[in-house]
Amino acid sequence: MGDDFFGELYLRSTLPFLSEAVTAREVEYLSRAFADVEGPVVDLGCGHGRHAARLNTQGALAGRVVGLELDPLSLRLRRPGFPVVRGDLRALPFQDASLGGAYAWYSTLFAFSDAEHVQVLREVSRVLRPGGRLVFQTVPFERLAGSPGASFRERLPDGSLLEEESRFDATRGRDVGQRQLTLPDGRVLRAAYALRYYPLAELKRLLESTGFSVEWVHGGLESGPMTPESTDLIVGAGRG
């Protein structure tokens, strides 16, 4: 996926659905997840900073969160309250063993090729201290395999029309789609995307091959186990 997706289109089409209540629950989860971790924690692909801004100003992570984002528009529109650096997940601009933790939300780590996913995780492993922790959220493979086709059409609060169609290929583990946003002034933003979703056993092998060991697997923000009804897959992995 390129800048044509993770830019104005992504921001305009996702921000209306990210309520403050949902953000607060996700921030609470992340606060618990890093409660026993010392040192700086990076928000990988922080976007406009809805997690980082809260975490860096309150609770156990106050003053310890830094954002990483590549998209210049997201950086310009970011919330105040946390430092941020522009950079690529595949070549993190941090020194070896300089961070205590890292987190990524909404399948951010898996928007590339399989080979690049190995590179991304190796980079995260490189910048974390021994004993550091990676936490990330994605969607269970089985949930997508059970409902491989999806379509969406909705009028947003600003009058824009959002349309999207996607299809999950379970053989390749890729959800491929097209998103279009027609703005009130008639301008059309359109881009394709592809996200990789791994079965849990394959995901564990990928993490172990890049220097991590799985500490927990949760099926939601309540920290409960994975079930067939789980809408989330949240993994905590320790840096060996």
Side-chain angles (χ1 to χ4, degrees):
M1 287 190 288
D3 294 340
D4 54 345
F5 186 80
F6 285 119
E8 184 181 8
L9 171 60
Y10 186 77
L11 280 173
R12 284 183 174 270
S13 61
T14 56
L15 287 179
F17 300 100
L18 300 175
S19 73
E20 291 301 313
V22 169
T23 297
R25 292 180 61 224
E26 292 169 351
V27 165
E28 182 181 356
Y29 179 95
L30 288 166
S31 295
R32 294 196 307 269
F34 290 104
D36 60 340
V37 170
E38 297 181 356
V41 174
V42 62
D43 183 331
L44 298 169
C46 66
H48 71 292
R50 66 189 185 94
H51 295 123
R54 288 191 183 218
L55 287 166
N56 197 53
T57 55
Q58 63 188 40
L61 294 184
R64 295 200 284 135
V65 177
V66 59
L68 176 92
E69 178 58 51
L70 187 61
D71 174 50
L73 179 61
S74 296
L75 291 171
R76 290 199 301 272
L77 298 179
R78 71 184 177 93
R79 296 182 178 184
F82 69 101
V84 66
V85 294
R86 189 173 187 222
D88 194 308
L89 292 170
R90 294 162 291 188
L92 295 176
F94 304 108
Q95 295 181 349
D96 295 0
S98 60
L99 303 175
Y103 66 87
W105 220 253
Y106 291 160
S107 306
T108 304
L109 298 181
F110 304 118
F112 309 102
S113 68
D114 284 5
E116 287 173 308
H117 297 155
V118 172
Q119 183 179 349
V120 168
L121 290 171
R122 283 177 176 165
E123 275 292 278
V124 179
S125 178
R126 176 184 65 79
V127 302
L128 290 183
R129 301 169 181 171
R133 178 173 295 140
L134 168 65
V135 176
F136 63 88
Q137 182 268 355
T138 182
V139 177
F141 176 97
E142 293 77 11
R143 183 173 183 84
L144 289 165
S147 300
S151 62
F152 182 86
R153 190 176 192 272
E154 184 170 326
R155 187 74 62 177
L156 302 185
D158 68 353
S160 299
L161 178 63
L162 175 61
E163 299 171 278
E164 183 168 340
E165 290 190 0
S166 65
R167 186 76 185 176
F168 181 64
D169 181 347
T171 302
R172 299 172 59 240
R174 289 199 170 270
D175 193 38
V176 179
Q178 175 100 8
R179 183 177 297 183
Q180 176 174 300
L181 186 67
T182 305
L183 303 178
D185 63 6
R187 190 160 56 100
V188 177
L189 305 175
R190 183 187 300 111
Y193 64 84
L195 291 170
R196 178 73 154 96
Y197 296 92
Y198 295 89
L200 185 55
E202 188 176 350
L203 186 57
K204 287 181 176 178
R205 289 194 296 270
L206 176 60
L207 287 165
E208 290 167 358
S209 73
T210 53
F212 292 96
S213 58
V214 174
E215 296 181 341
W216 72 74
V217 175
H218 292 156
L221 296 172
E222 297 78 18
S223 302
M226 285 286 297
T227 71
E229 289 74 40
S230 294
T231 57
D232 294 303
L233 170 60
I234 309 176
V235 176
R239 164 72 165 85

